[in-house]
Amino acid sequence: MERVAIIGTSMTQFGNRSAWIRELLAEAGHSCLASAGVDPNALDHLYVSNMAAGEFEGQTGVSNALAHDLGALPAYTERVDQTSASGGAGIYAAWRSIASGASDMTLLVGGEKMTHRSTSEATDVIASLTHPVEYKHGLTLPSFAGLTARRYLDRYEAPRESLASVAAKNHRNGVDNPKAQFQKAVSKETILESPIVADPLRLYDFCPITDGSAALLFCPESVAREYTDEYVVVAGVDGATDTHVVHERPDPTWMGAVAESARGAFDMSGYGPDDVDVAELHDMFTILELLQLEALGFADRGTAWQLAEEGYTARDGGELPVNTSGGLKSKGHPLGASGVAQAVEVYEQLLGDAGPRQVSADVGLCCNVGGFGNCVTTSILEVGA
Amino acid sequence: MERVAIIGTSMTQFGNRSAWIRELLAEAGHSCLASAGVDPNALDHLYVSNMAAGEFEGQTGVSNALAHDLGALPAYTERVDQTSASGGAGIYAAWRSIASGASDMTLLVGGEKMTHRSTSEATDVIASLTHPVEYKHGLTLPSFAGLTARRYLDRYEAPRESLASVAAKNHRNGVDNPKAQFQKAVSKETILESPIVADPLRLYDFCPITDGSAALLFCPESVAREYTDEYVVVAGVDGATDTHVVHERPDPTWMGAVAESARGAFDMSGYGPDDVDVAELHDMFTILELLQLEALGFADRGTAWQLAEEGYTARDGGELPVNTSGGLKSKGHPLGASGVAQAVEVYEQLLGDAGPRQVSADVGLCCNVGGFGNCVTTSILEVGA
């Protein structure tokens, strides 16, 4: 089987943008093609990771629009939706596109435009992914996060401060990411005194609502060197699904689909958790970073809460730097873009292009989560040889 | 490259259904698995072709919901959207899933729930796929159809009656399809006297608004015989995209993306138009059946209008029976389901399971169109040997 290479990346400014979704997608798409010196006419497949342009903006057909705007016609296009994990699903879709031989040059662009809607409107759109019975009883994603955090802290006798340590770490990393929505350090004290949203979680335990887009360019590894001297390879990728009804899961503190998708991705790559040098995890809520560290095999169950406090996941000197980009927490979370942007960060880390955020890494991992662990894609990237 | 087999199919009743989208998807999914005697646990990938469950019903995450409802966890799931061509895009996605080696058993379920919304609400959701500038000037899909039909009839000196012949043929075919929304023959006179919608097109030139779902089960051909003695193979499949802004196309009577996608699918299969014995085309509007017959290479430009009148595309004795199922015209058009249901009909025709609709066929073609030719997927199916 031909290995799949990533030869270009891009990411727009994340934050409060005045552009519409098709402009954001085109901005990231053009930049990504330019980063690899590839002409739009060379594309034969184009995937758009996007959850809800129809709901947010009344615009559907966004992959058709993007092919037109990029000048990539008549490339085949498709929108890939796996709610907030649409970006990771797009990576898997792009991988299959190349690995099946259907495409020799595939562009993936993920994006979402959200900030023109009120917070409650945006929250309602996101909540439409939950089971209606849970939703009508008030069990939105933030509610699940609060309930699960309470259970985790009680069960493992973890201090409330450990969640704040995750937020503080990711905000500190975001200071050095000029494309992050928030480029500001936030102290643990500020986090612990911020307004309660879903007890025990407070404002700074949650990612913001964000506009933005990110892109990746894929081709067979056998031709990657025609375009670039340095590239990244998708060593492993897999996805998995958990119950739609969250309360049917046997243990709310165990993210089963994260574990399943990681097993598949590790098996394909031949690597294990000990081989990973840098990871971008889906810290939509601080508690999720801890649960992913455990389900991915980076920490024993009930112990991940110690890692941020001990500096294990720190960018400077940590054994496994996590969310060097700032994570969803400070970089922002434009739903369809987030999984793509995770891989943009890992790509830059692997190729030594991460500037002040640079760590030493040969193998990186991305974990993108939809809903409250409902759909998950994990990918493992390494430097192309 | 391993060839991809289809070993099971299903289609729900199309029409005005009281079920919600997740119930329709589950109904088709369960039936399809049962048709092949395959357990839900055997699935590793599950694709849902759906344009707008979020807009129609406020329910997103439908692929997650379906994996849960089928008992297929932890299978990887993804929603595939290419507007009204989502079903055809799903066939291509399922093909790549198997051909890449990512999956050994992939279920595709397409569906849409629309009739609980008013016609104008449903039309607005569909219109959201068009370019906003065209839409604001009144250029909805029916308007494009009217303008294009007028141009076609004038240019090729075709009689208005030729469009009515397409509608009459497809309604006649639908009489023998117990799952069609309309199982009633309609005379050319009735069609020609029905209310004008977009001159010269009248009510019976348009497909209805429909609820329904359809499904296909894919596996590598090398293992197909473990499940069934008779199966179908995807001999060729490809997709292509045309301008998002319809008025930028050089010739409105030529469906460029249909021609591009057909070229790819024919090249892959080794077949040409003369080898095709039966075809399901996207007759959302009668004029589209004619334009597809020409762009697919079944008729010279400007001549397809004669085919229905001469009986060339008739089920009984025609050289190329087209829309034996009744087409979108009488079967109905639940957006995400339509492309999947096309392949369900061709599968039944190839395996001799089409009952009173049966024609003699070894090779069949499906052409699924999004927007007004914006996105197209063409697939060529043949009997597995």
Side-chain angles (χ1 to χ4, degrees):
Chain A
M1 177 68 67
E2 172 94 68
R3 297 215 305 172
V4 176
I6 301 175
I7 60 167
T9 67
S10 73
M11 175 179 156
T12 70
Q13 183 66 51
F14 276 20
N16 196 323
R17 297 288 307 268
S18 60
W20 294 107
I21 183 66
R22 60 185 296 163
E23 297 169 308
L24 290 171
L25 296 172
E27 180 186 338
H30 276 303
S31 298
C32 186
L33 289 168
S35 79
V38 168
D39 192 88
N41 290 318
L43 295 179
D44 39 34
H45 281 214
L46 170 63
Y47 296 90
V48 172
S49 292
N50 169 264
M51 174 177 170
E55 292 87 333
F56 283 126
E57 204 176 300
Q59 178 70 64
T60 61
V62 288
S63 64
N64 178 205
L66 181 61
H68 185 140
D69 293 343
L70 290 178
L73 303 173
Y76 172 75
T77 66
E78 196 177 293
R79 179 169 71 116
V80 172
D81 164 39
Q82 207 191 55
T83 68
S84 30
S86 296
I91 293 172
Y92 196 13
W95 180 87
R96 296 190 303 272
S97 164
I98 301 288
S100 67
S103 166
D104 294 319
M105 188 64 71
T106 290
L107 179 66
L108 166 67
V109 185
E112 212 84 39
K113 171 68 183 130
M114 309 168 72
T115 65
H116 59 296
R117 304 292 292 267
S118 71
T119 299
S120 84
E121 285 172 340
T123 305
D124 273 350
V125 170
I126 298 168
S128 69
L129 69 85
T130 56
H131 192 283
V133 170
E134 292 188 323
Y135 178 52
K136 284 169 185 162
H137 286 79
L139 283 163
T140 61
L141 299 182
S143 326
F144 283 123
L147 290 165
T148 303
R150 168 65 64 210
R151 177 87 178 103
Y152 183 91
L153 297 181
D154 286 352
R155 183 175 190 175
Y156 299 117
E157 296 176 0
R160 171 65 187 84
E161 289 72 17
S162 61
L163 296 170
S165 299
V166 172
K169 166 180 74 68
N170 293 349
H171 271 287
R172 198 162 50 238
N173 290 346
V175 170
D176 294 319
N177 189 342
K179 292 179 175 162
Q181 184 165 8
F182 301 127
Q183 300 166 37
K184 194 174 72 168
V186 179
S187 71
K188 285 175 70 169
E189 292 66 36
T190 301
I191 294 164
L192 290 167
E193 287 163 13
S194 65
I196 288 178
V197 175
D199 188 57
L201 300 183
R202 293 167 182 262
L203 183 63
Y204 279 101
D205 288 291
F206 294 86
C207 69
I209 287 171
T210 311
D211 310 323
S213 181
L216 297 164
L217 186 62
F218 298 79
C219 71
E221 186 178 18
S222 57
V223 300
R225 287 210 184 278
E226 296 176 18
Y227 300 97
T228 176
D229 291 335
E230 291 194 309
Y231 60 90
V232 158
V233 165
V234 182
V237 57
D238 201 7
T241 309
D242 208 336
T243 61
H244 190 218
V245 182
V246 174
H247 74 256
E248 288 188 12
R249 298 178 198 165
D251 180 351
T253 65
W254 181 247
M255 299 187 81
V258 170
E260 272 294 326
S261 69
R263 192 180 52 73
F266 279 128
D267 282 355
M268 179 176 159
S269 71
Y271 293 120
D274 289 347
D275 299 308
V276 175
D277 303 310
V278 66
E280 288 284 307
L281 307 186
H282 194 94
D283 59 330
M284 181 163 56
F285 318 117
T286 49
I287 181 68
L288 285 186
E289 181 169 315
L290 304 185
L291 300 185
Q292 282 162 77
L293 283 164
E294 297 180 6
L296 289 163
F298 293 127
D300 290 334
R301 293 187 67 166
T303 68
W305 62 270
Q306 301 166 30
L307 299 188
E309 298 211 280
E310 292 171 357
Y312 189 92
T313 51
R315 194 179 74 199
D316 300 321
E319 290 211 39
L320 177 70
V322 169
N323 287 327
T324 53
S325 68
L328 279 52
K329 188 69 203 70
S330 84
K331 192 173 52 185
H333 182 25
L335 308 169
S338 289
V340 181
Q342 288 180 325
V344 172
E345 175 71 11
V346 169
Y347 175 99
E348 292 185 355
Q349 291 289 355
L350 295 178
L351 297 187
D353 296 333
R357 304 188 309 283
Q358 187 66 50
V359 298
S360 173
D362 297 314
V363 175
L365 178 145
C366 306
C367 186
N368 192 201
V369 174
F372 202 70
N374 299 18
C375 299
V376 180
T377 303
T378 300
S379 55
I380 297 165
L381 308 182
E382 66 178 319
V383 179
Chain B
M1 177 70 67
E2 173 92 72
R3 296 218 303 173
V4 176
I6 301 175
I7 60 169
T9 67
S10 72
M11 176 179 154
T12 70
Q13 183 67 50
F14 277 19
N16 196 323
R17 298 287 308 269
S18 61
W20 293 108
I21 183 68
R22 61 185 297 164
E23 297 169 308
L24 290 171
L25 296 172
E27 181 186 339
H30 277 302
S31 298
C32 185
L33 290 167
S35 79
V38 168
D39 192 87
N41 290 319
L43 295 179
D44 39 35
H45 281 212
L46 170 63
Y47 297 90
V48 172
S49 293
N50 169 264
M51 175 178 169
E55 291 88 333
F56 283 127
E57 204 175 300
Q59 178 71 62
T60 61
V62 287
S63 64
N64 177 206
L66 181 61
H68 185 139
D69 293 342
L70 290 179
L73 303 174
Y76 172 75
T77 66
E78 195 178 294
R79 179 168 73 117
V80 172
D81 164 38
Q82 207 190 54
T83 68
S84 29
S86 297
I91 292 172
Y92 196 11
W95 180 87
R96 296 190 303 272
S97 164
I98 301 289
S100 68
S103 166
D104 294 320
M105 188 64 73
T106 290
L107 180 65
L108 166 67
V109 185
E112 211 83 40
K113 171 69 182 126
M114 308 169 71
T115 65
H116 60 295
R117 304 293 291 268
S118 71
T119 299
S120 82
E121 285 173 340
T123 305
D124 273 349
V125 170
I126 297 169
S128 69
L129 69 84
T130 55
H131 191 283
V133 170
E134 291 187 324
Y135 179 53
K136 283 170 185 160
H137 286 79
L139 283 163
T140 60
L141 298 183
S143 326
F144 282 124
L147 290 166
T148 303
R150 169 63 66 209
R151 176 88 178 106
Y152 183 92
L153 297 181
D154 286 352
R155 183 175 189 174
Y156 299 118
E157 296 177 0
R160 171 67 188 83
E161 289 71 18
S162 60
L163 296 170
S165 299
V166 172
K169 167 181 73 68
N170 293 349
H171 271 288
R172 197 161 51 239
N173 290 345
V175 170
D176 294 319
N177 188 343
K179 292 180 176 162
Q181 183 165 8
F182 301 127
Q183 300 166 38
K184 193 175 73 168
V186 180
S187 71
K188 284 174 70 170
E189 292 66 38
T190 302
I191 293 163
L192 290 167
E193 286 163 14
S194 65
I196 288 178
V197 175
D199 187 56
L201 300 182
R202 292 165 182 265
L203 183 63
Y204 278 100
D205 289 290
F206 295 85
C207 69
I209 288 170
T210 311
D211 309 324
S213 182
L216 298 164
L217 186 61
F218 298 79
C219 71
E221 186 178 18
S222 57
V223 300
R225 287 210 184 280
E226 294 176 19
Y227 300 96
T228 176
D229 291 335
E230 290 193 311
Y231 61 89
V232 158
V233 165
V234 182
V237 58
D238 200 7
T241 308
D242 208 336
T243 61
H244 189 219
V245 182
V246 174
H247 73 257
E248 289 188 11
R249 296 177 199 165
D251 180 352
T253 65
W254 180 248
M255 299 187 80
V258 170
E260 272 294 325
S261 70
R263 193 181 53 73
F266 278 128
D267 282 356
M268 178 177 159
S269 70
Y271 293 120
D274 290 347
D275 299 309
V276 175
D277 303 311
V278 65
E280 288 284 307
L281 306 186
H282 193 94
D283 59 331
M284 180 164 57
F285 317 117
T286 48
I287 181 67
L288 285 186
E289 181 169 315
L290 303 185
L291 300 185
Q292 280 162 79
L293 283 164
E294 297 180 6
L296 290 163
F298 293 127
D300 292 333
R301 293 187 67 167
T303 69
W305 62 270
Q306 301 165 30
L307 299 187
E309 298 211 280
E310 292 172 356
Y312 189 92
T313 52
R315 194 180 74 200
D316 299 322
E319 290 211 39
L320 178 70
V322 170
N323 286 327
T324 53
S325 68
L328 279 52
K329 188 70 204 70
S330 84
K331 193 174 51 185
H333 182 25
L335 309 170
S338 289
V340 181
Q342 288 180 326
V344 171
E345 175 71 12
V346 169
Y347 176 99
E348 292 185 356
Q349 290 288 356
L350 295 178
L351 297 186
D353 295 333
R357 304 187 309 283
Q358 187 66 50
V359 298
S360 172
D362 297 313
V363 176
L365 178 145
C366 305
C367 185
N368 191 202
V369 174
F372 200 70
N374 300 17
C375 299
V376 180
T377 303
T378 300
S379 56
I380 297 164
L381 308 181
E382 65 178 322
V383 179

